[in-house]
RNA sequence: GCGCCCGUAGCUCAGUUGGAUAGAGCAGCGGCCUUCUAAGCCGCGGGUCGGUGGUUCGAUUCCACCCGGGCGCGCCA
């Protein structure tokens, strides 16, 4: 169950019965355990409205809430806080229920469910994925998983950049100085080489530039030969992208990219013009915000148009995104779409969403933005000049550092992992560390990329949580027991048990909140707190050496901790290992 | 010029629609391996929450202005 939701509803109901006011209880977890587990802050807010002192509202509310068997103590403190301490018996019941729930470990279904598109990762064909793709890929995967976990029907879409003006250069370049063997062997490397050479050539050789434009025009008009070569570019690149996604354990429900909307683009522009939403200007066609009604104030004041067609007749990023939004709403039948894209594109999405509204799209659209990846000096990581940090090289480094750590443990006799299993553990730990380092930050902030910090494997980092899991797995291995067997009942006695139990009981609330707010770091924070609470419990409360009911309870606590760590990390795209 | 984001401990970051004495990790210092994995546990030190006003019972949080950093603004995506 969701205890925060339950207590909020309980408090709001009690408040309305006592005061006749239908106002929210303003329940939240306390920042300081000395103030109990949750606090109700409504009394201060209501005092003025009701012409009473805050304590006159808080006192009877506390009395009423104290009658619930979920609540051990309800105390009025300070100006009128009502501090609630959960009863250990209630928490234990919640945990028994979660332990018995083998399919969800206590995570509730959402009250209503939607069909949701999560648009993430979206690399370009013919280019390596680099750290700039890291955040969209990792955050998008986590968001998709979180929404699905509570029961939504979620479609993760890789809206790949597989169409556009660069294909003229690539087609001409391939024909004139491409290497077909290299294209088979390492497609992206060869395509990047060709593109670089072709774009340099086009700048100084007008005849070549002209040939490239002609090849592009042929491609766009459906020329079979060029289409076949383009498909070759896409399929060979796709094979390389798949290798990276496989390593990261990421899948998409759909690979519908920009090219899929190509045929719809003229219609989009025509419709916009028919509806009076766009008009030609200087040969191009755009949406001119000051001329439209029903647009947000900020856009109303924006002089720059949202261009949907260039002077030369070609379509733009905006046109494709409008076509995709229409498709997802009308054809896919999505009620919501999330665009997991760099914050620098906020202006684009603000306009995209506004124009979709004007076109009558009902689907909720949200730009899940995230900060820029910066280098160690705090400067945006450049990909064009100098050497780009590719995603593949980042993953290589992560895995090799993890492997070194594992071998060290094995050679010192601390770890017992067979040679042939070490690479698998290194992958889970190394890539888990990379993902965790990204996800644990509030996505809105810029992201400072730091190898050593990301792969230090200490403190608040992915391996810490995986390590907690491995310790639990080890307990069950030693005891010849299974994590899936239901133990218990849970009984919370030692302070470490009570603390661990209360963290475990909040899991469902956190999964819902992280998904609803599209903030995966709410879950990383919680799982870190869970691992910390477990580690303290582990030091203080022997499990296998305990006897009878105490042993059964501790086994249940340990098992539920492991299951929630595994499920929670799984939602973040991070694997657990039984030994590390 | 217009607009958006950011500024919290030496460093990297949390801080949930405004709530009590602002929290973590790293780095530093001191303890803990004959007891289920020391990638761990326990403890200590460290802050004008960029600045000034304002709103409020209450401001790191909301508003205004200023300082500092970053980003976006017609034919790239």
């Amino acid at each position: 169950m969701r205890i925060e939701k339950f207590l909020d509803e309980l408090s709001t109901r009690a408040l309305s019965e006592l005061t006749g006011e239908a106002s929210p209880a303003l329940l939240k977890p306390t920042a300081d355990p000395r103030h109990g587990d949750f606090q109700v802050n409504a009394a201060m807010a209501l005092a003025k409205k009701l012409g009473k002192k805050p304590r006159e509202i808080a006192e009877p509310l506390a009395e009423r809430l104290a009658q619930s068997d979920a609540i051990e103590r309800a105390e009025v403190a300070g100006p009128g806080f009502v501090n609630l301490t959960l009863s250990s018996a209630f928490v234990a019941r919640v945990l028994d229920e979660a332990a018995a729930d083998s399919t969800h470990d206590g995570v509730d279904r959402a009250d209503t469910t939607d069909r949701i598109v999560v648009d993430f990762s979206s690399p370009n064909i013919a280019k390596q994925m680099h750290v700039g793709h890291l955040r969209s890929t990792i955050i998008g995967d986590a968001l998709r998983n979180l929404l699905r976990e509570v029961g939504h029907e979620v479609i993760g879409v890789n809206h790949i950049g597989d169409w556009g003006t660069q294909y003229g250069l690539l087609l001409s370049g391939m024909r004139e100085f491409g290497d077909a063997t290299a294209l088979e062997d390492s497609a992206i490397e060869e395509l990047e080489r060709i593109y670089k050479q072709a774009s340099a050539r086009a700048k100084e050789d007008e005849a070549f530039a002209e040939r490239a434009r002609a090849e592009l025009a042929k491609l766009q008009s459906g020329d079979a030969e060029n289409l076949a070569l383009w498909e070759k570019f896409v399929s060979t690149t796709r094979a390389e992208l798949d290798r990276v996604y496989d390593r990261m354990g990421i899948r998409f429900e759909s690979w519908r990219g920009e090219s899929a909307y190509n045929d719809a683009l003229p219609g989009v522009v025509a419709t916009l013009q028919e509806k009076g939403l766009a008009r030609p200007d200087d040969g191009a066609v755009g949406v001119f915000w000051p001329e439209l009604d029903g647009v947000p104030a900020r856009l109303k004041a924006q002089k720059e148009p949202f261009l949907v067609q260039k002077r030369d007749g070609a379509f733009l990023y905006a046109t494709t995104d409008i076509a995709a939004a229409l498709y997802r709403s009308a054809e896919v039948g999505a009620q919501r779409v999330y665009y997991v894209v760099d914050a620098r594109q906020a202006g684009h999405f603000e306009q995209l969403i506004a124009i979709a509204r004007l076109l009558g799209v009902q689907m909720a659209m949200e730009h899940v933005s995230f900060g820029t990846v910066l280098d160690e000096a705090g400067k945006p990581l450049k990909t064009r000049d100098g050497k780009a940090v590719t995603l593949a090289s980042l993953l290589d480094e992560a895995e090799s550092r993890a492997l070194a750590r594992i071998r060290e443990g094995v050679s010192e006799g601390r770890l017992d992992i067979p040679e042939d299993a070490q690479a698998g553990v290194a992958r889970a730990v190394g890539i888990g560390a990379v993902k965790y380092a990204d996800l644990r930050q509030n996505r809105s902030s810029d992201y400072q990329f730091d190898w050593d910090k990301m792969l230090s494997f200490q403190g608040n980092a992915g391996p810490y949580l995986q390590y907690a899991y491995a310790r639990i797995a080890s307990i069950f291995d030693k005891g010849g027991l299974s994590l899936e067997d239901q133990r218990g009942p849970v009984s919370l006695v030692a302070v470490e048990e009570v603390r661990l139990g209360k963290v475990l009981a909040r899991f469902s609330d956190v999964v819902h909140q992280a998904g609803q707010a599209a903030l995966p770091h709410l879950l990383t924070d919680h799982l870190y707190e869970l691992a910390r609470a477990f580690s303290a419990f582990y030091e203080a409360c022997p499990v296998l050496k305990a006897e009878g009911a105490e042993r059964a309870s501790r086994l249940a606590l340990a098992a539920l901790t492991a299951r929630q760590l595994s499920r929670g990390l799984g939602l973040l795209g991070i694997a657990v290992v039984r030994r590390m």
Side-chain angles (χ1 to χ4, degrees):
Chain A
M1 76 179 293
R2 298 171 63 180
I3 56 171
E4 186 170 339
K5 185 166 180 266
F6 165 76
L7 291 170
D8 193 32
E9 287 166 1
L10 182 75
S11 306
T12 299
R13 207 159 48 239
L15 195 63
S16 108
E17 282 165 18
L18 287 166
T19 65
E21 290 288 328
S23 56
L26 302 177
L27 178 116
K28 53 189 62 181
T30 55
D32 185 332
R34 281 172 298 188
H35 300 136
D37 300 312
F38 292 91
Q39 55 181 274
V40 179
N41 295 335
M44 281 85 75
L46 268 177
K48 184 178 284 181
K49 188 171 178 188
L50 297 179
K52 290 184 177 176
K53 288 179 178 162
R55 280 183 163 261
E56 290 174 36
I57 300 162
E59 303 276 5
L61 180 61
E63 274 175 45
R64 175 75 68 101
L65 291 174
Q67 287 164 18
S68 164
D69 66 357
I71 292 165
E72 175 81 39
R73 284 195 312 278
E75 297 165 326
V76 179
F81 300 106
V82 179
N83 292 336
L84 307 178
T85 303
L86 296 177
S87 102
S88 294
F90 170 72
V91 174
R93 271 209 311 282
V94 171
L95 300 185
D96 284 332
E97 193 183 290
D101 174 17
S102 59
T103 53
H104 297 291
D105 300 328
V107 177
D108 302 78
R109 307 301 82 195
D111 296 335
T112 60
T113 57
D114 289 330
R115 180 173 297 165
I116 302 173
V117 168
V118 178
D119 177 331
F120 68 104
S121 196
S122 309
N124 289 318
I125 290 300
K127 285 186 187 162
Q128 292 251 31
M129 281 201 281
H130 53 79
V131 286
H133 296 106
L134 189 67
R135 302 205 78 184
S136 177
T137 304
I138 292 174
I139 294 168
D141 181 48
L143 178 59
R144 181 257 312 272
N145 297 339
L146 282 163
L147 293 169
R148 178 171 297 155
E149 176 69 17
V150 301
H152 297 294
E153 181 192 343
V154 193
I155 302 158
V157 177
N158 199 356
H159 186 76
I160 50 172
D162 59 358
W163 202 250
T165 52
Q166 73 271 28
Y167 289 100
L169 288 170
L170 283 168
L171 288 164
S172 292
M174 185 67 210
R175 293 234 163 79
E176 298 186 26
F177 40 79
D179 179 339
T181 312
L183 185 64
E184 290 298 334
D185 292 346
S186 48
I188 294 177
E189 200 180 316
E190 174 63 3
L191 287 167
E192 283 181 337
R193 185 188 72 80
I194 292 169
Y195 184 77
K196 201 172 169 186
Q197 195 174 333
S199 57
R201 175 93 176 265
K203 275 185 192 141
E204 51 196 39
D205 181 348
E206 184 48 38
F208 177 81
E210 183 49 48
R211 289 200 294 281
R213 280 193 290 273
E215 295 300 338
L216 178 65
K218 276 167 69 183
L219 174 70
Q220 289 175 334
S221 60
D223 174 77
E225 223 171 285
N226 276 6
L227 218 45
L229 193 49
W230 168 78
E231 276 166 9
K232 189 84 180 164
F233 295 161
V234 174
S235 63
T236 51
T237 302
R238 168 80 190 267
E240 285 196 38
L241 294 177
D242 276 335
R243 279 204 288 282
V244 176
Y245 287 130
D246 280 350
R247 288 177 76 180
M248 297 180 77
I250 286 170
R251 308 178 97 85
F252 299 89
E253 281 69 40
S254 164
W255 278 75
R256 198 180 165 85
E258 292 173 353
S259 65
Y261 301 101
N262 198 37
D263 293 344
L265 303 184
V268 168
V269 175
T271 302
L272 287 169
Q273 293 194 88
E274 282 160 21
K275 295 198 172 191
L277 298 172
R279 64 167 171 80
D281 184 73
D282 195 20
V285 180
V287 176
F288 291 81
W289 301 107
E291 299 167 9
L292 301 179
D293 294 324
V295 302
R298 192 157 65 228
L299 284 179
K300 188 80 181 169
Q302 177 174 310
K303 287 185 309 194
E304 295 78 13
F306 194 43
L307 277 195
V308 292
Q309 188 167 20
K310 303 200 287 185
R311 203 176 332 180
D312 67 6
F315 303 103
L316 292 134
Y317 177 39
T319 330
T320 308
D321 271 1
I322 293 169
L326 293 170
Y327 174 81
R328 289 163 179 176
S329 175
E331 305 298 324
V332 177
Q335 280 98 43
R336 290 192 234 170
V337 58
Y338 292 94
Y339 298 91
V340 186
V341 182
D342 190 299
R344 285 176 290 197
Q345 293 188 38
H348 168 77
F349 285 104
E350 182 186 22
Q351 297 181 86
L352 174 66
I353 291 166
I355 199 68
R357 290 285 160 273
L358 293 175
L359 283 168
V361 172
Q362 299 291 308
M363 174 178 69
M365 300 167 72
E366 186 175 341
H367 176 206
V368 177
S369 71
F370 53 84
T372 309
V373 179
L374 306 175
D375 62 18
E376 276 90 343
K379 295 276 201 294
L381 216 56
K382 290 285 195 313
T383 58
R384 295 196 176 174
D385 9 314
K387 288 176 187 167
V389 179
T390 65
L391 217 42
S393 71
L394 170 59
L395 301 178
D396 288 344
E397 177 79 12
E399 289 186 37
S400 72
R401 289 203 193 199
L403 186 60
R405 188 63 181 267
I406 290 160
R407 292 205 168 126
E408 191 183 298
V410 170
S411 71
E412 288 171 4
R414 287 185 281 108
L415 260 180
D416 178 22
I417 299 177
E419 184 78 29
D420 62 357
Q422 290 176 7
V425 176
R427 170 165 293 192
V429 172
I431 290 175
V434 169
K435 289 187 177 182
Y436 187 88
D438 195 313
L439 290 169
R440 88 185 184 90
Q441 267 189 85
N442 188 327
R443 58 179 167 76
S444 69
S445 353
D446 283 348
Y447 179 75
Q448 187 155 20
F449 185 82
D450 183 333
W451 286 101
D452 290 330
K453 187 186 149 206
M454 184 179 283
L455 301 173
S456 72
F457 303 160
Q458 274 183 0
N460 188 352
Y464 178 82
L465 314 198
Q466 292 168 317
Y467 182 66
Y469 180 89
R471 287 170 128 187
I472 300 170
S474 178
I475 292 173
F476 282 76
D477 285 345
K478 281 224 159 71
L481 303 161
S482 159
L483 287 173
E484 283 67 38
D485 293 346
Q486 200 196 329
R487 309 281 156 188
V490 168
S491 158
L492 305 170
V493 182
V495 290
E496 291 85 1
E497 291 174 316
V498 174
R499 172 142 177 268
L500 175 60
K502 285 176 176 176
V503 178
L504 286 165
R506 294 204 55 230
F507 187 59
S508 181
D509 280 309
V510 173
V511 169
H512 276 81
Q513 287 160 7
Q516 187 155 2
L519 293 174
H521 83 284
L522 297 179
L523 182 56
T524 61
D525 268 9
H526 178 79
L527 293 176
Y528 177 62
E529 197 183 338
L530 175 59
R532 293 215 320 164
F534 174 78
S535 296
F537 163 85
Y538 181 86
E539 299 283 330
C541 305
V543 176
L544 293 176
K545 287 196 172 158
E547 292 175 358
E550 186 177 63
R551 185 175 195 264
S553 171
R554 288 179 177 178
L555 281 169
L557 284 171
L560 188 58
T561 301
R563 285 162 52 185
Q564 287 189 356
L565 282 172
S566 173
R567 182 177 296 276
L569 287 171
L571 294 173
L572 301 172
I574 300 170
V576 293
V577 291
R578 295 186 70 87
R579 287 186 203 171
M580 64 179 279

